Amino acid sequence: MATQDQIPPTRAERRQARRIRRFDNPWLNPKLLWGAGFLVGIIILGLVGRMLWDLELVFTGSSPLKLPPIGFENLRGQPGVLEHPLGTDGGGRDLLALIIIGAPNTLFVGLLASLIGMSIGIFLGFSAGFLGGRVDDVIRVGADVMITIPPLLILVVFQSAFGDVTLTMMALLIAGFVWQSPTRLIRAQVLSMKQSGYVQMAQLSGASTGHIMFREMLPNLVPYLFGSFIASVTTSIVTAVGLEVLGLGPQRIPTLGRTIYEAINAGALIQNLWWWWGLPTLLLGVIFIGLLLINLGLDEVSNPRLRRLS
Amino acid sequence: MDKPVLTLRDLSIEFPMPQGIVQAVKSLSLDIHKGRRVGFIGESGSGKTTTALAVMQMLAEPGRVAGGSIDLGGTDILALTEEQMRGTRLARIAYIPQGAMNSLNPVMRIEPQMWDGIIAHEGHVDRATLKARSDAALESVGLPKHTADLYPHELSGGMKQRVCIAMGIILNPELIIADEPTSALDVVTQRQVMQTLKDIQSQIGSGLMLIGHDMGLMAQTVDELAVLKDGELVEHGVVKQILEAPKHPYTQDLISSVPLVGGDSFLNPDARADAPERDSPEPLLRFENVRKDYGAVTALHPMSFTLQGDTPQIISIVGQSGSGKSTMGSIMLGFNPPSEGKVLFEGQDVQAMGAAQSLDFRKNVQAVFQDPYACFNPFYRVNHALKFPFKQFGLAQSDAHTQTAMEEACDAVGLDPDLVLTRYPHQLSGGQRQRLIVARALMLSPKLLIADEPVSMVDASLRASILSNIYDLKDKYGISILYITHDLATAYHVSDYVMVLFKGHVVEAGPPKDVIGAPQHPYTQLLIDSIPWPDLERSWGDGRDNWDPTELEAEAERAQAVYRGDVPGFDLVRI
């Protein structure tokens, strides 16, 4: 180690040093950075796209029908054109415009639903773990019962009853089904943390219940909360897309799921209009891989044993 | 003399870390001969366990043997393949782990767990032979045969540890490595387990490598002693020579830091000062027929006492684990409501206080807990633990005042405030953290401090200094202290009054010179006899061979409580 002071470091040594710095700051691990990069990419696509692209093209009949992306030909032998670089669908909508609006919408539903779900989960989990007794029984049994109910089934019924819903409404409905696992997770953590020395110390210091919950316990739960949040974003998006592909959910707002529904409905599969259903699916894939990488990266943050030097 | 069982030559072990290479063991050379017991003593982090694991080839990643050789009765351990090493473990080297409670499979009966070892080394063995061998092994550690059919949770800690010993010796290994085999057990069980280990080791004639940090235990158990400090072997020799004429200053420290009953006090007698006046005529703390049940079990039988608190005193509560002493502590702190009776603090019922009274009670009754690692919130710098209560109780006049108070408190417990206050808990050692907790209590200047095993998880060399910190506070700040411990030697030195608790009853109480210096109740005698003294003349109590704690405990249960005189200011109601 001491020799490094005299001799300029070789490239291998510099790389090693960089790895070590990354090891020291777990938030800079490559998985987390890549995952966050994917999601930020989707958001940037939405923001930049809104500025540069003509969004009027999402309306039915605004463009020629069934044009392929640039560099491909459709069954009728028409080549892709520059006005519609990703092609158009069977209703004459521009796919680039659909994606620019639809992909951030899908992400928005997922994030909002799990944000609400997590808040409910944190509140209920802390109440159950901290107060114990009857409150704990009610919350625990409630969460356990809710976990056994398949959310898609109930949501199908709800959505058919509501007819057309807004994105926010949809997020709220989904949030009603993603609070159970954070509740259970937080309850378990709070129960074990309640016995810990520093909580007892805080009690000895005359700390209020609120202080103990939010200032002493919550900061130590942050890695778990993040992990749980990402997991429920994934669940929420899967549920939302599931509903949309079934033709439920918002009728007039483009989302990735709705685009896939229309593609299937119009027989895009047999007409070989692969770009119609393929591009939204690809973007969903990017979102899920991004979420997965973030989750793996967060695991390394909260569990140092998973970190490796090389 | 024949060839040694284990030869370590210039053994170096290192851990490459992001911060650089940590040298855990630095060129250590040592022989362990057949039938000899060699103790490895040193503080945590001195490389004792690392050496043992290297011999087993079980070093945790990324540790590696950097140099030297390990020779086990002619076999070069470092040259063995993974499969050969597997064959060597247990058959030639047995490892008895620290926490026996975690070493047994909770869903398997004892018997099949013992058979696993035999089958793994000898292939198929018929059932009758297996049974005969496991029974013989259990018998050799003094456990009844039917233990084989029990699950681990049905055994006590001492029995589990003995099962681990039985498993270790089932293949008659050449070397037994015991890594702090009794650190989780109380003194009575410790003595029992160590005797079992000694007996079985001399029976099969293997070498024993005993790892520990307790000089007394070593003196009573081993033939040779190796003292390790920061990965270096600082002294090695026959126990007698090391105990009587230690050469290295560190060894001298280790020996002198063991408090003895009747020996020199480690306390500073000059710290006495006039205590501040109390403003309440009511007694500081009063137990009125306090009883505590956990389900059908009575942890604490009705007990009444009054602690006046006009002159600060240290009242010690001693007993084994399960004697109800920690229950008493949590009842006093109001964490745990008594099943019957009342705890009065300055005349107020602890369980029926309003918000303002409760805050006042919290300010005046503080605690130091056993585990200094758990007492700090890992999220905050350590000064949070000191700053927060100070502000919460309205003692802080300004931020600068808080800062000065924190610095003064750190100085008082012998810590450098600039060095420790802005660190995170994991950056401090156990001793530093425990001192900070003492400093925290000091800043609040409570009237009553409950110290629940404050030094049992701290390295031996630090125990004396932390206890004397606590002791000095008593007179300097007029704090009455309830010292809950299983360590009779320290209780002897620090306390003004001692209560010995046995299964929730007070069995002997009085001034420490009487109760611990000349115990009369059989249970107190049992406890004192179980303390391993760092003194070869005093062979573990009186050295009787037929020492049977179960019988002695039964005798203790029949005996009447003994009250040995009173101390003004503390009044225990005799039952």
Side-chain angles (χ1 to χ4, degrees):
Chain A
M1 279 280 157
T3 52
Q4 282 186 3
D5 297 336
Q6 293 103 40
I7 312 161
T10 63
R11 183 177 295 174
E13 276 168 343
R14 273 205 301 270
R15 198 180 303 143
Q16 178 73 11
R18 217 168 32 238
R19 276 194 199 127
I20 286 170
R21 270 203 304 281
R22 207 180 283 152
F23 186 89
D24 279 344
N25 186 352
W27 295 99
L28 288 181
N29 77 62
K31 287 185 191 124
L32 197 57
L33 292 179
W34 274 102
F38 280 155
L39 294 195
V40 171
I42 298 276
I43 294 169
I44 289 178
L45 172 81
L47 292 178
V48 175
R50 266 158 229 258
M51 287 188 272
L52 299 184
W53 201 245
D54 179 11
L55 296 182
E56 293 295 310
L57 295 175
V58 293
F59 294 111
T60 315
S62 59
S63 324
L65 307 185
K66 300 178 183 173
L67 281 181
I70 294 179
F72 296 94
E73 275 190 3
N74 63 11
L75 287 179
R76 276 182 270 162
Q78 293 167 309
V81 291
L82 208 59
E83 287 78 54
H84 307 289
L86 295 182
T88 57
D89 71 358
R93 284 165 287 205
D94 179 53
L95 264 170
L96 181 58
L98 274 177
I99 283 169
I100 285 172
I101 296 186
N105 275 351
T106 300
L107 202 58
F108 167 78
V109 172
L111 287 174
L112 184 66
S114 64
L115 209 62
I116 299 169
M118 280 301 288
S119 312
I120 301 174
I122 291 176
F123 177 73
L124 291 181
F126 263 104
S127 313
F130 210 84
L131 301 174
R134 202 45 68 76
V135 181
D136 182 26
D137 290 345
V138 171
I139 293 173
R140 202 185 59 230
V141 171
D144 285 351
V145 169
M146 286 298 284
I147 274 179
T148 61
I149 298 175
L152 212 57
L153 204 73
I154 303 289
L155 283 173
V156 166
V157 176
F158 265 102
Q159 298 255 338
S160 336
F162 274 100
D164 192 10
V165 290
T166 61
L167 284 176
T168 318
M169 188 64 203
M170 177 139 157
L172 275 172
L173 283 172
I174 293 170
F177 290 88
V178 293
W179 57 269
Q180 307 94 322
S181 35
T183 303
R184 283 171 56 117
L185 179 100
I186 291 164
R187 174 180 169 273
Q189 287 294 328
V190 167
L191 276 182
S192 74
M193 230 180 250
K194 211 163 76 166
Q195 304 296 326
S196 72
Y198 57 86
V199 170
Q200 284 194 330
M201 271 299 168
Q203 273 175 311
L204 272 183
S205 306
S208 61
T209 311
H211 176 97
I212 291 177
M213 279 191 195
F214 296 109
R215 301 289 301 281
E216 300 284 340
M217 287 178 164
L218 198 61
N220 289 298
L221 280 173
V222 165
Y224 295 97
L225 294 181
F226 262 119
S228 176
F229 177 71
I230 298 298
S232 68
V233 172
T234 313
T235 322
S236 307
I237 293 182
V238 167
T239 316
V241 171
L243 287 170
E244 287 157 9
V245 170
L246 289 174
L248 301 161
Q251 306 290 315
R252 276 167 294 169
I253 306 159
T255 58
L256 295 178
R258 176 125 204 114
T259 309
I260 296 172
Y261 163 73
E262 276 159 0
I264 295 170
N265 230 13
L269 285 169
I270 40 171
Q271 294 179 46
N272 205 16
L273 303 171
W274 53 266
W275 56 92
W276 193 356
W277 53 266
L279 291 173
T281 313
L282 185 75
L283 278 179
L284 278 176
V286 170
I287 293 178
F288 284 132
I289 290 171
L291 288 168
L292 176 74
L293 285 175
I294 291 182
N295 216 348
L296 293 177
L298 283 172
D299 257 357
E300 287 184 25
V301 175
S302 57
N303 187 355
R305 266 178 298 180
L306 292 176
R307 284 180 230 161
R308 293 232 176 77
L309 265 180
S310 45
Chain B
M1 202 180 248
D2 25 314
K3 220 179 131 28
V5 180
L6 181 74
T7 313
L8 306 176
R9 282 283 162 270
D10 293 323
L11 180 67
S12 301
I13 300 166
E14 58 183 32
F15 285 79
M17 290 300 211
Q19 298 81 16
I21 291 173
V22 177
Q23 297 225 305
V25 176
K26 295 166 200 154
S27 80
L28 182 129
S29 299
L30 194 90
D31 289 340
I32 297 181
H33 288 274
K34 199 166 160 31
R36 293 286 275 182
R37 298 186 285 262
V38 180
F40 277 61
I41 192 167
E43 275 167 38
S44 44
S46 61
K48 326 177 284 272
T49 303
T50 310
T51 310
L53 289 174
V55 174
M56 297 287 289
Q57 285 269 54
M58 280 165 64
L59 276 178
E61 287 280 327
R64 58 168 187 239
V65 174
S69 66
I70 304 171
D71 182 287
L72 178 78
T75 319
D76 181 6
I77 290 277
L78 297 174
L80 293 181
T81 63
E82 185 51 40
E83 185 56 25
Q84 287 168 326
M85 193 61 223
R86 189 186 71 76
T88 309
R89 291 184 197 127
L90 192 65
R92 299 185 61 194
I93 321 171
Y95 184 79
I96 296 162
Q98 187 163 12
M101 26 297 292
N102 306 325
S103 309
L104 297 172
N105 188 338
V107 295
M108 268 168 94
R109 292 176 198 276
I110 299 300
E111 201 165 45
Q113 301 197 41
M114 302 185 69
W115 295 349
D116 274 354
I118 306 179
I119 295 168
H121 286 90
E122 296 173 9
H124 181 74
V125 179
D126 71 86
R127 215 180 154 82
T129 324
L130 283 174
K131 180 127 188 85
R133 283 171 73 177
S134 66
D135 282 351
L138 283 176
E139 202 180 328
S140 68
V141 295
L143 288 172
K145 263 188 193 163
H146 71 89
T147 318
D149 297 324
L150 299 177
Y151 284 100
H153 71 264
E154 295 173 287
L155 302 175
S156 70
M159 289 167 94
K160 278 187 228 175
Q161 193 55 275
R162 280 195 278 175
V163 168
C164 283
I165 295 176
M167 274 184 192
I169 53 93
I170 203 162
L171 294 174
N172 290 330
E174 295 157 47
L175 176 70
I176 303 174
I177 301 174
D179 188 354
E180 309 216 15
T182 55
S183 63
L185 307 173
D186 55 58
V187 277
V188 177
T189 327
Q190 163 170 289
R191 179 174 167 186
Q192 227 177 344
V193 169
M194 284 321 295
Q195 272 184 345
T196 312
L197 187 61
K198 269 169 81 173
D199 290 349
I200 200 99
Q201 178 261 345
S202 41
Q203 247 178 56
I204 62 175
S206 59
L208 173 70
M209 177 171 170
L210 179 71
I211 296 168
H213 61 261
D214 184 343
M215 199 44 119
L217 183 65
M218 289 293 172
Q220 296 297 337
T221 321
V222 299
D223 306 315
E224 287 170 40
L225 202 53
V227 184
L228 271 83
K229 184 179 188 337
D230 299 332
E232 260 173 292
L233 185 67
V234 297
E235 196 160 357
H236 175 219
V238 184
V239 154
K240 193 172 166 61
Q241 173 240 314
I242 287 195
L243 277 179
E244 284 167 7
K247 289 197 194 78
H248 197 275
Y250 178 68
T251 319
Q252 290 163 2
D253 274 0
L254 271 183
I255 295 173
S256 62
S257 67
V258 181
L260 299 175
V261 170
D264 287 336
S265 174
F266 53 84
L267 302 170
N268 172 18
D270 309 328
R272 295 191 176 273
D274 285 332
E277 285 287 307
R278 283 183 65 242
D279 46 5
S280 167
E282 293 281 345
L284 190 63
L285 185 75
R286 196 183 161 97
F287 261 45
E288 280 181 2
N289 281 316
V290 172
R291 199 193 68 196
K292 181 72 192 174
D293 300 330
Y294 290 111
V297 183
T298 304
L300 192 65
H301 290 274
M303 183 191 285
S304 305
F305 66 78
T306 311
L307 173 64
Q308 207 61 38
D310 288 335
T311 46
Q313 283 174 319
I314 298 185
I315 311 295
S316 290
I317 301 162
V318 296
Q320 276 172 276
S321 45
S323 60
K325 55 189 194 320
S326 289
T327 305
M328 263 181 89
S330 65
I331 289 175
M332 286 176 213
L333 287 170
F335 284 169
N336 207 345
S339 309
E340 195 189 287
K342 268 189 219 165
V343 182
L344 302 176
F345 177 76
E346 299 198 325
Q348 298 271 347
D349 187 345
V350 170
Q351 290 299 325
M353 283 183 170
Q357 284 170 331
S358 185
L359 199 65
D360 187 53
F361 169 72
R362 283 274 169 257
K363 186 201 160 297
N364 285 319
V365 182
Q366 283 295 320
V368 177
F369 294 121
Q370 180 172 12
D371 186 353
Y373 294 90
C375 280
F376 288 93
N377 192 334
F379 186 77
Y380 295 107
R381 290 175 198 280
V382 290
N383 59 11
H384 170 82
L386 276 72
K387 210 188 280 176
F388 172 70
F390 199 62
K391 289 185 173 159
Q392 184 74 13
F393 295 129
L395 296 167
Q397 289 145 13
S398 63
D399 281 350
H401 176 234
T402 314
Q403 189 62 28
T404 347
M406 284 198 293
E407 283 170 8
E408 273 171 16
C410 284
D411 282 334
V413 293
L415 288 174
D416 181 354
D418 300 330
L419 221 61
V420 295
L421 279 178
T422 51
R423 300 236 182 153
Y424 281 99
H426 67 265
Q427 296 170 313
L428 298 178
S429 71
Q432 285 173 316
R433 293 188 217 187
Q434 197 63 299
R435 276 178 211 219
L436 270 175
I437 293 290
V438 176
R440 172 188 171 281
L442 195 160
M443 275 174 76
L444 305 173
S445 56
K447 293 175 183 162
L448 182 66
L449 181 72
I450 290 159
D452 188 351
E453 303 263 17
V455 291
S456 67
M457 287 177 76
V458 179
D459 275 326
S461 54
L462 290 170
R463 286 183 190 169
S465 67
I466 291 176
L467 274 177
S468 55
N469 278 155
I470 295 178
Y471 183 81
D472 292 346
L473 301 181
K474 177 189 86 158
D475 290 311
K476 212 165 167 187
Y477 298 89
I479 305 172
S480 296
I481 297 169
L482 276 150
Y483 176 48
I484 299 172
T485 185
H486 66 269
D487 183 354
L488 285 95
T490 55
Y492 176 84
H493 287 291
V494 299
S495 49
D496 295 292
Y497 192 85
V498 176
M499 287 195 272
V500 181
L501 234 58
F502 175 54
K503 299 194 170 166
H505 293 281
V506 175
V507 292
E508 191 160 359
K513 299 276 176 296
D514 298 334
V515 174
I516 300 173
Q520 284 179 356
H521 192 277
Y523 179 69
T524 322
Q525 287 167 351
L526 171 67
L527 279 182
I528 303 235
D529 281 349
S530 310
I531 303 176
W533 303 106
D535 178 357
L536 293 176
E537 305 302 312
R538 203 166 166 176
S539 161
W540 221 322
D542 50 12
R544 276 177 299 173
D545 283 338
N546 57 351
W547 186 81
D548 179 14
T550 12
E551 207 171 280
L552 291 168
E553 274 185 26
E555 190 190 326
E557 230 162 321
R558 288 191 296 272
Q560 285 288 316
V562 189
Y563 298 95
R564 309 284 300 273
D566 289 316
V567 168
F570 187 79
D571 179 26
L572 178 71
V573 176
R574 302 175 178 205
I575 300 162

